[in-house]
Amino acid sequence: MQHNPGFLKLVDDAKARVQQIDIAGYRQMVAAGEKHVLVDTREDNEWDKGHVAGAVHLSRGIIERDIETQYPDKATPLVLYCGGGFRSALVADNLQKMGYTHAISLDGGWRALKESGLPLAEK
């Protein structure tokens, strides 16, 4: 997908401040049994087409509104994914501003997860 320059500037700014993990690092995290919540931040129509089994869905449009209700402990490790790692970086940045100390953006997002061998819930 071709992204607009203004959007890329926002994403690059956010990525400079947030923790990121690539798919290899995420697979190691899962293999080690590290407790975390995998959060799909994509839109409803993207979620409906397929997602990682066991992920929770809090789209970018509502996550800031609902996260404190669902995960009030701001030390909860949250691994966030979107289509490719751009929107999840923006979400991680906002969650950090809200006091979440372990908001991690998954670089590569859904595209990387589909190829990872992790169980998926696809339609």
Short mmCIF file of all heavy atoms in Angstrom, two decimals, residues 26 36-44 46-48 50-60 62-63 66-67 70-71 76-82 91 95 110 113 119 121:
data_model
loop_
_atom_site.label_atom_id
_atom_site.label_comp_id
_atom_site.label_asym_id
_atom_site.label_seq_id
_atom_site.Cartn_x
_atom_site.Cartn_y
_atom_site.Cartn_z
N TYR A 26 8.42 -11.72 18.26
CA TYR A 26 7.10 -12.09 18.79
C TYR A 26 6.98 -13.62 18.93
O TYR A 26 6.47 -14.11 19.93
CB TYR A 26 5.97 -11.53 17.94
CG TYR A 26 4.63 -11.89 18.52
CD1 TYR A 26 4.23 -11.36 19.74
CD2 TYR A 26 3.79 -12.80 17.89
CE1 TYR A 26 3.01 -11.72 20.32
CE2 TYR A 26 2.58 -13.17 18.46
CZ TYR A 26 2.19 -12.62 19.67
OH TYR A 26 1.00 -12.99 20.24
N HIS A 36 1.04 -11.80 27.74
CA HIS A 36 0.75 -10.58 27.00
C HIS A 36 -0.66 -10.68 26.43
O HIS A 36 -1.26 -11.76 26.41
CB HIS A 36 1.76 -10.37 25.87
CG HIS A 36 1.64 -11.39 24.78
ND1 HIS A 36 2.13 -12.68 24.93
CD2 HIS A 36 1.06 -11.34 23.56
CE1 HIS A 36 1.87 -13.37 23.82
NE2 HIS A 36 1.20 -12.59 22.97
N VAL A 37 -1.16 -9.56 25.97
CA VAL A 37 -2.42 -9.52 25.26
C VAL A 37 -2.10 -9.10 23.84
O VAL A 37 -1.46 -8.07 23.62
CB VAL A 37 -3.41 -8.52 25.90
CG1 VAL A 37 -4.71 -8.46 25.11
CG2 VAL A 37 -3.68 -8.87 27.35
N LEU A 38 -2.51 -9.91 22.87
CA LEU A 38 -2.33 -9.57 21.47
C LEU A 38 -3.58 -8.82 21.02
O LEU A 38 -4.68 -9.34 21.11
CB LEU A 38 -2.13 -10.84 20.63
CG LEU A 38 -1.87 -10.62 19.14
CD1 LEU A 38 -0.57 -9.82 18.92
CD2 LEU A 38 -1.81 -11.95 18.41
N VAL A 39 -3.38 -7.59 20.57
CA VAL A 39 -4.50 -6.71 20.24
C VAL A 39 -4.47 -6.36 18.75
O VAL A 39 -3.51 -5.78 18.26
CB VAL A 39 -4.46 -5.40 21.07
CG1 VAL A 39 -5.67 -4.54 20.76
CG2 VAL A 39 -4.37 -5.70 22.56
N ASP A 40 -5.54 -6.73 18.07
CA ASP A 40 -5.73 -6.39 16.66
C ASP A 40 -6.36 -5.00 16.61
O ASP A 40 -7.48 -4.80 17.08
CB ASP A 40 -6.64 -7.42 16.00
CG ASP A 40 -6.74 -7.27 14.50
OD1 ASP A 40 -6.80 -6.12 14.01
OD2 ASP A 40 -6.79 -8.30 13.81
N THR A 41 -5.65 -4.04 16.04
CA THR A 41 -6.13 -2.65 15.99
C THR A 41 -6.74 -2.30 14.64
O THR A 41 -7.03 -1.13 14.38
CB THR A 41 -4.99 -1.67 16.32
OG1 THR A 41 -3.99 -1.73 15.30
CG2 THR A 41 -4.37 -1.97 17.68
N ARG A 42 -6.92 -3.30 13.78
CA ARG A 42 -7.47 -3.03 12.45
C ARG A 42 -8.97 -2.76 12.52
O ARG A 42 -9.62 -2.97 13.54
CB ARG A 42 -7.20 -4.22 11.52
CG ARG A 42 -5.70 -4.48 11.31
CD ARG A 42 -5.43 -5.73 10.52
NE ARG A 42 -6.07 -6.88 11.15
CZ ARG A 42 -6.56 -7.93 10.49
NH1 ARG A 42 -6.48 -7.99 9.17
NH2 ARG A 42 -7.12 -8.93 11.14
N GLU A 43 -9.51 -2.33 11.42
CA GLU A 43 -10.94 -2.03 11.33
C GLU A 43 -11.75 -3.33 11.36
O GLU A 43 -11.23 -4.41 11.09
CB GLU A 43 -11.22 -1.26 10.03
CG GLU A 43 -10.50 0.08 9.95
CD GLU A 43 -10.85 1.02 11.10
OE1 GLU A 43 -12.05 1.11 11.46
OE2 GLU A 43 -9.93 1.66 11.63
N ASP A 44 -13.05 -3.20 11.65
CA ASP A 44 -13.94 -4.36 11.75
C ASP A 44 -13.91 -5.24 10.51
O ASP A 44 -13.86 -6.47 10.62
CB ASP A 44 -15.39 -3.91 12.00
CG ASP A 44 -15.58 -3.29 13.37
OD1 ASP A 44 -14.69 -3.39 14.23
OD2 ASP A 44 -16.65 -2.67 13.58
N GLU A 46 -11.54 -5.66 8.38
CA GLU A 46 -10.27 -6.38 8.29
C GLU A 46 -10.27 -7.55 9.28
O GLU A 46 -9.85 -8.66 8.93
CB GLU A 46 -9.11 -5.44 8.61
CG GLU A 46 -8.91 -4.33 7.59
CD GLU A 46 -7.88 -3.33 8.05
OE1 GLU A 46 -8.15 -2.58 9.02
OE2 GLU A 46 -6.79 -3.28 7.43
N TRP A 47 -10.73 -7.32 10.48
CA TRP A 47 -10.84 -8.36 11.50
C TRP A 47 -11.71 -9.51 11.01
O TRP A 47 -11.37 -10.68 11.18
CB TRP A 47 -11.40 -7.76 12.78
CG TRP A 47 -11.85 -8.72 13.83
CD1 TRP A 47 -13.12 -9.21 13.99
CD2 TRP A 47 -11.07 -9.34 14.87
NE1 TRP A 47 -13.16 -10.07 15.07
CE2 TRP A 47 -11.93 -10.16 15.62
CE3 TRP A 47 -9.73 -9.26 15.23
CZ2 TRP A 47 -11.50 -10.90 16.72
CZ3 TRP A 47 -9.30 -9.99 16.32
CH2 TRP A 47 -10.17 -10.80 17.05
N ASP A 48 -12.85 -9.15 10.41
CA ASP A 48 -13.80 -10.16 9.94
C ASP A 48 -13.20 -11.07 8.87
O ASP A 48 -13.61 -12.23 8.75
CB ASP A 48 -15.07 -9.50 9.40
CG ASP A 48 -15.91 -8.87 10.50
OD1 ASP A 48 -15.72 -9.21 11.69
OD2 ASP A 48 -16.76 -8.02 10.16
N GLY A 50 -10.14 -12.15 8.83
CA GLY A 50 -9.18 -13.04 9.46
C GLY A 50 -8.35 -12.32 10.50
O GLY A 50 -8.13 -11.12 10.39
N HIS A 51 -7.93 -13.06 11.51
CA HIS A 51 -7.12 -12.51 12.58
C HIS A 51 -6.39 -13.66 13.29
O HIS A 51 -6.63 -14.82 12.99
CB HIS A 51 -7.98 -11.72 13.58
CG HIS A 51 -9.16 -12.47 14.07
ND1 HIS A 51 -10.37 -12.47 13.41
CD2 HIS A 51 -9.33 -13.28 15.14
CE1 HIS A 51 -11.23 -13.24 14.06
NE2 HIS A 51 -10.61 -13.74 15.11
N VAL A 52 -5.52 -13.30 14.18
CA VAL A 52 -4.78 -14.32 14.93
C VAL A 52 -5.70 -14.93 15.98
O VAL A 52 -6.41 -14.20 16.68
CB VAL A 52 -3.53 -13.71 15.60
CG1 VAL A 52 -2.80 -14.75 16.44
CG2 VAL A 52 -2.60 -13.11 14.56
N ALA A 53 -5.70 -16.23 16.06
CA ALA A 53 -6.51 -16.92 17.07
C ALA A 53 -6.08 -16.43 18.45
O ALA A 53 -4.89 -16.35 18.75
CB ALA A 53 -6.32 -18.43 16.95
N GLY A 54 -7.06 -16.07 19.26
CA GLY A 54 -6.78 -15.61 20.61
C GLY A 54 -6.55 -14.11 20.74
O GLY A 54 -6.45 -13.60 21.85
N ALA A 55 -6.46 -13.41 19.63
CA ALA A 55 -6.28 -11.95 19.69
C ALA A 55 -7.59 -11.30 20.13
O ALA A 55 -8.68 -11.86 19.94
CB ALA A 55 -5.87 -11.41 18.32
N VAL A 56 -7.48 -10.12 20.73
CA VAL A 56 -8.67 -9.32 21.03
C VAL A 56 -8.74 -8.20 20.01
O VAL A 56 -7.72 -7.78 19.45
CB VAL A 56 -8.64 -8.75 22.47
CG1 VAL A 56 -8.63 -9.86 23.49
CG2 VAL A 56 -7.48 -7.82 22.68
N HIS A 57 -9.94 -7.74 19.75
CA HIS A 57 -10.14 -6.72 18.74
C HIS A 57 -10.52 -5.40 19.38
O HIS A 57 -11.58 -5.28 19.99
CB HIS A 57 -11.22 -7.16 17.74
CG HIS A 57 -11.40 -6.22 16.61
ND1 HIS A 57 -12.64 -5.80 16.20
CD2 HIS A 57 -10.51 -5.60 15.80
CE1 HIS A 57 -12.50 -4.97 15.17
NE2 HIS A 57 -11.21 -4.84 14.93
N LEU A 58 -9.64 -4.44 19.27
CA LEU A 58 -9.89 -3.06 19.69
C LEU A 58 -9.34 -2.18 18.58
O LEU A 58 -8.15 -1.87 18.55
CB LEU A 58 -9.20 -2.75 21.02
CG LEU A 58 -9.78 -3.39 22.27
CD1 LEU A 58 -8.83 -3.27 23.45
CD2 LEU A 58 -11.12 -2.76 22.61
N SER A 59 -10.20 -1.79 17.67
CA SER A 59 -9.73 -1.05 16.50
C SER A 59 -9.19 0.32 16.89
O SER A 59 -9.49 0.86 17.95
CB SER A 59 -10.85 -0.89 15.47
OG SER A 59 -11.84 -0.02 15.97
N ARG A 60 -8.39 0.85 16.02
CA ARG A 60 -7.76 2.14 16.27
C ARG A 60 -8.80 3.21 16.56
O ARG A 60 -8.54 4.16 17.30
CB ARG A 60 -6.90 2.54 15.06
CG ARG A 60 -6.20 3.86 15.31
CD ARG A 60 -5.00 4.04 14.42
NE ARG A 60 -4.38 5.29 14.80
CZ ARG A 60 -4.53 6.42 14.12
NH1 ARG A 60 -5.23 6.46 13.03
NH2 ARG A 60 -3.94 7.52 14.54
N ILE A 62 -11.41 2.95 18.43
CA ILE A 62 -12.02 2.88 19.77
C ILE A 62 -11.06 2.51 20.89
O ILE A 62 -11.41 2.61 22.06
CB ILE A 62 -13.20 1.87 19.79
CG1 ILE A 62 -12.68 0.46 19.53
CG2 ILE A 62 -14.30 2.28 18.84
CD1 ILE A 62 -13.64 -0.63 19.93
N ILE A 63 -9.86 2.11 20.57
CA ILE A 63 -8.98 1.55 21.61
C ILE A 63 -8.69 2.53 22.73
O ILE A 63 -8.75 2.17 23.91
CB ILE A 63 -7.68 0.97 21.01
CG1 ILE A 63 -6.94 0.15 22.08
CG2 ILE A 63 -6.82 2.04 20.37
CD1 ILE A 63 -5.82 -0.71 21.54
N ASP A 66 -11.70 2.59 25.05
CA ASP A 66 -12.10 1.38 25.76
C ASP A 66 -10.99 0.64 26.51
O ASP A 66 -11.28 -0.24 27.32
CB ASP A 66 -12.75 0.40 24.77
CG ASP A 66 -14.04 0.95 24.19
OD1 ASP A 66 -14.56 1.96 24.68
OD2 ASP A 66 -14.54 0.33 23.22
N ILE A 67 -9.74 0.96 26.26
CA ILE A 67 -8.64 0.16 26.81
C ILE A 67 -8.63 0.14 28.33
O ILE A 67 -8.38 -0.90 28.95
CB ILE A 67 -7.27 0.63 26.24
CG1 ILE A 67 -6.17 -0.37 26.59
CG2 ILE A 67 -6.91 2.03 26.72
CD1 ILE A 67 -6.20 -1.64 25.81
N GLN A 70 -11.15 -2.41 29.65
CA GLN A 70 -10.80 -3.82 29.43
C GLN A 70 -9.49 -4.22 30.09
O GLN A 70 -9.34 -5.36 30.53
CB GLN A 70 -10.75 -4.10 27.93
CG GLN A 70 -12.14 -4.03 27.31
CD GLN A 70 -12.20 -4.73 25.98
OE1 GLN A 70 -11.40 -5.61 25.68
NE2 GLN A 70 -13.18 -4.36 25.19
N TYR A 71 -8.53 -3.30 30.14
CA TYR A 71 -7.21 -3.60 30.73
C TYR A 71 -6.79 -2.43 31.62
O TYR A 71 -5.95 -1.61 31.24
CB TYR A 71 -6.18 -3.87 29.62
CG TYR A 71 -6.60 -5.02 28.76
CD1 TYR A 71 -7.21 -4.81 27.53
CD2 TYR A 71 -6.46 -6.33 29.21
CE1 TYR A 71 -7.66 -5.88 26.76
CE2 TYR A 71 -6.90 -7.40 28.45
CZ TYR A 71 -7.50 -7.17 27.23
OH TYR A 71 -7.95 -8.23 26.49
N THR A 76 0.09 -3.99 31.91
CA THR A 76 -0.24 -5.15 31.08
C THR A 76 0.55 -5.08 29.77
O THR A 76 0.48 -4.08 29.06
CB THR A 76 -1.74 -5.18 30.75
OG1 THR A 76 -2.47 -5.22 31.96
CG2 THR A 76 -2.10 -6.38 29.88
N PRO A 77 1.30 -6.12 29.43
CA PRO A 77 1.99 -6.13 28.13
C PRO A 77 0.95 -6.25 27.01
O PRO A 77 0.19 -7.22 26.96
CB PRO A 77 2.89 -7.36 28.18
CG PRO A 77 3.01 -7.67 29.64
CD PRO A 77 1.71 -7.26 30.25
N LEU A 78 0.92 -5.28 26.13
CA LEU A 78 0.00 -5.24 25.00
C LEU A 78 0.81 -5.26 23.72
O LEU A 78 1.59 -4.33 23.46
CB LEU A 78 -0.85 -3.96 25.05
CG LEU A 78 -1.68 -3.72 26.31
CD1 LEU A 78 -2.20 -2.29 26.35
CD2 LEU A 78 -2.82 -4.72 26.37
N VAL A 79 0.66 -6.32 22.93
CA VAL A 79 1.31 -6.38 21.63
C VAL A 79 0.24 -6.02 20.60
O VAL A 79 -0.77 -6.72 20.47
CB VAL A 79 1.91 -7.77 21.34
CG1 VAL A 79 2.53 -7.81 19.95
CG2 VAL A 79 2.96 -8.12 22.40
N LEU A 80 0.45 -4.93 19.92
CA LEU A 80 -0.53 -4.35 19.02
C LEU A 80 -0.16 -4.63 17.57
O LEU A 80 0.99 -4.48 17.18
CB LEU A 80 -0.58 -2.83 19.23
CG LEU A 80 -0.73 -2.40 20.69
CD1 LEU A 80 -0.12 -1.04 20.91
CD2 LEU A 80 -2.18 -2.43 21.09
N TYR A 81 -1.16 -5.06 16.78
CA TYR A 81 -0.88 -5.23 15.36
C TYR A 81 -1.98 -4.63 14.51
O TYR A 81 -3.12 -4.49 14.93
CB TYR A 81 -0.62 -6.69 15.00
CG TYR A 81 -1.82 -7.62 14.91
CD1 TYR A 81 -2.51 -7.77 13.70
CD2 TYR A 81 -2.25 -8.35 16.00
CE1 TYR A 81 -3.59 -8.64 13.60
CE2 TYR A 81 -3.33 -9.22 15.91
CZ TYR A 81 -4.00 -9.36 14.70
OH TYR A 81 -5.07 -10.22 14.61
N CYS A 82 -1.59 -4.24 13.31
CA CYS A 82 -2.51 -3.73 12.29
C CYS A 82 -2.14 -4.45 11.00
O CYS A 82 -1.67 -5.58 11.04
CB CYS A 82 -2.40 -2.21 12.18
SG CYS A 82 -0.76 -1.63 11.70
N VAL A 91 -1.06 3.73 17.67
CA VAL A 91 -1.81 3.31 18.85
C VAL A 91 -0.87 3.16 20.04
O VAL A 91 -1.18 3.63 21.15
CB VAL A 91 -2.57 1.99 18.58
CG1 VAL A 91 -3.15 1.43 19.88
CG2 VAL A 91 -3.67 2.20 17.56
N LEU A 95 -1.19 4.99 23.63
CA LEU A 95 -1.33 4.25 24.88
C LEU A 95 -0.23 4.61 25.86
O LEU A 95 -0.46 4.70 27.07
CB LEU A 95 -1.37 2.75 24.62
CG LEU A 95 -2.59 2.24 23.84
CD1 LEU A 95 -2.54 0.73 23.70
CD2 LEU A 95 -3.90 2.68 24.47
N TRP A 110 -0.29 -7.79 10.35
CA TRP A 110 -1.07 -8.93 9.87
C TRP A 110 -0.35 -9.66 8.75
O TRP A 110 -0.36 -10.89 8.69
CB TRP A 110 -2.45 -8.46 9.44
CG TRP A 110 -3.31 -9.51 8.81
CD1 TRP A 110 -3.81 -9.50 7.54
CD2 TRP A 110 -3.79 -10.73 9.39
NE1 TRP A 110 -4.56 -10.63 7.30
CE2 TRP A 110 -4.56 -11.40 8.43
CE3 TRP A 110 -3.63 -11.33 10.63
CZ2 TRP A 110 -5.17 -12.63 8.66
CZ3 TRP A 110 -4.24 -12.56 10.88
CH2 TRP A 110 -5.01 -13.19 9.89
N LEU A 113 2.15 -11.82 10.39
CA LEU A 113 1.50 -12.84 11.21
C LEU A 113 0.93 -13.96 10.36
O LEU A 113 0.99 -15.13 10.75
CB LEU A 113 0.40 -12.21 12.06
CG LEU A 113 0.90 -11.36 13.23
CD1 LEU A 113 -0.21 -10.46 13.76
CD2 LEU A 113 1.45 -12.25 14.33
N PRO A 119 -1.38 -19.83 14.89
CA PRO A 119 -2.76 -20.18 14.54
C PRO A 119 -3.59 -18.94 14.19
O PRO A 119 -3.54 -17.94 14.90
CB PRO A 119 -3.31 -20.87 15.79
CG PRO A 119 -2.23 -20.88 16.80
CD PRO A 119 -1.04 -20.19 16.26
N ALA A 121 -7.46 -17.31 12.77
CA ALA A 121 -8.91 -17.50 12.73
C ALA A 121 -9.39 -16.80 11.46
O ALA A 121 -9.84 -15.66 11.51
CB ALA A 121 -9.57 -16.93 13.97
#
